[in-house]
C-alpha cells in the first residue's frame, strides 16, 4: 500500500541521515574516515533490515483491486479491431 511505502521510505531516509551524522561526527573526532564509512554502512544494513521485508506495519492499508471481468460475446477481442491508419505527412 502507498502509506506503507511512504512509511518505509521515511524510516529508510531517517536511519541513513542519523547514521551519516553520527558517523561523520565520530570519524571527525577520532580522525578516522574508516569509522565514518563503517557507521554509515551499519545504518544502511539496519535500514534495509527494517524496510525491505514486507513487515505487517507496512501492510495495514491494502489496496482494493477491481474484480476480474470476463469477456462477453458482445465485446470485441483485441485481435478483431481494425488497425489505425495514420495520416501521411
Amino acid at each position: 500500500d502507498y502509506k506503507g511505502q511512504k512509511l518505509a521510505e521515511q524510516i529508510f531516509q531517517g536511519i541513513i541521515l542519523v547514521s551519516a551524522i553520527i558517523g561523520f561526527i565520530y570519524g571527525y573526532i577520532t580522525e578516522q574516515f574508516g569509522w565514518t564509512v563503517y557507521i554509515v554502512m551499519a545504518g544502511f544494513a539496519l535500514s534495509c533490515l527494517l524496510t525491505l521485508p514486507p513487515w505487517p506495519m507496512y501492510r495495514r492499508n491494502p489496496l482494493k483491486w477491481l474484480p476480474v471481468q470476463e469477456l462477453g460475446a458482445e465485446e470485441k477481442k483485441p485481435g478483431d479491431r481494425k488497425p489505425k491508419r495514420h495520416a501521411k505527412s
Side-chain angles (χ1 to χ4, degrees):
D1 65 61
Y2 297 116
K3 290 182 182 179
Q5 289 177 3
K6 183 178 179 182
L7 176 62
E9 182 71 22
Q10 289 173 340
I11 290 172
F12 182 79
Q13 288 181 356
I15 292 173
I16 294 293
L17 180 65
V18 168
S19 68
I21 291 170
I22 291 171
F24 178 77
I25 292 171
Y26 187 75
Y28 184 78
I29 291 170
T30 61
E31 297 179 2
Q32 294 287 323
F33 181 72
W35 279 107
T36 302
V37 174
Y38 293 144
I39 292 171
V40 171
M41 286 174 32
F44 177 76
L46 177 65
S47 65
C48 286
L49 180 68
L50 292 177
T51 59
L52 290 180
W55 298 108
M57 65 181 174
Y58 302 130
R59 297 183 287 150
R60 290 184 182 163
N61 304 304
L63 298 175
K64 291 178 177 57
W65 295 91
L66 293 175
V68 176
Q69 296 178 354
E70 297 293 329
L71 287 177
E74 65 278 352
E75 294 182 30
K76 289 186 177 183
K77 295 179 183 172
D80 294 341
R81 292 188 219 153
K82 292 181 181 178
K84 293 183 180 179
R85 297 183 69 155
H86 298 284
K88 294 181 182 179
S89 52

